[in-house]
Amino acid sequence: MLVQVLANKRIVFKILLIAHKSIIGLAPVYIQDMFRYSHHGHTLKLIVPSFNSKFGKRSFSVVAPKLYNNLPSVITSALTLDSFKVQLKTFLFKLSSFELENLYH
């Protein structure tokens, strides 16, 4: 169980890292093109695309925006990639498996 939770946290970390790199322009263009943005005041949100199948809801282009939008703004507004990584690792490390599951919703 513990190994599965740690593996899930690592997967979530990688997904969010790729999403953040895409937002700040460090990801390949084909990944950047997967995301659409909306601004709510000073907050940037990723638009979650609609899907028609159970496989669609597990795709990167759907899961990444859901996860990213559920992060605290202190993490998403990190000024550097390194500070984003540190804050994200700390945040994920403190989450229980139940809280980690809630990030997907």
Side-chain angles (χ1 to χ4, degrees), residues 9 91-92 94-104:
K9 288 182 180 183
F91 174 74
L92 292 175
K94 292 178 181 178
L95 291 180
S96 68
S97 59
F98 177 75
E99 293 168 323
L100 184 66
E101 192 68 32
N102 283 339
L103 276 181
Y104 288 95

Side-chain angles (χ1 to χ4, degrees), residues 18-35:
I18 292 169
H20 189 71
K21 283 182 175 182
S22 175
I23 291 168
I24 62 174
L26 296 178
V29 175
Y30 73 93
I31 293 178
Q32 293 179 35
D33 290 343
M34 289 183 183
F35 299 112

Side-chain angles (χ1 to χ4, degrees), residues 49-67:
S50 59
F51 53 88
N52 295 330
S53 70
K54 66 180 181 179
F55 299 109
K57 74 178 184 178
R58 293 187 289 178
S59 69
F60 176 78
S61 60
V62 172
V63 171
K66 282 184 180 181
L67 290 171

Side-chain angles (χ1 to χ4, degrees), residues 7-80:
N8 289 343
K9 288 182 180 183
R10 179 146 176 82
I11 291 167
V12 169
F13 176 79
K14 289 292 189 180
I15 290 170
L16 288 168
L17 183 59
I18 292 169
H20 189 71
K21 283 182 175 182
S22 175
I23 291 168
I24 62 174
L26 296 178
V29 175
Y30 73 93
I31 293 178
Q32 293 179 35
D33 290 343
M34 289 183 183
F35 299 112
R36 301 289 172 250
Y37 310 97
S38 69
H39 295 276
H40 299 281
H42 295 288
T43 306
L44 173 77
K45 293 289 184 183
L46 297 177
I47 297 172
V48 179
S50 59
F51 53 88
N52 295 330
S53 70
K54 66 180 181 179
F55 299 109
K57 74 178 184 178
R58 293 187 289 178
S59 69
F60 176 78
S61 60
V62 172
V63 171
K66 282 184 180 181
L67 290 171
Y68 196 84
N69 291 341
N70 286 326
L71 288 177
S73 61
V74 68
I75 297 173
T76 59
S77 62
L79 297 177
T80 66

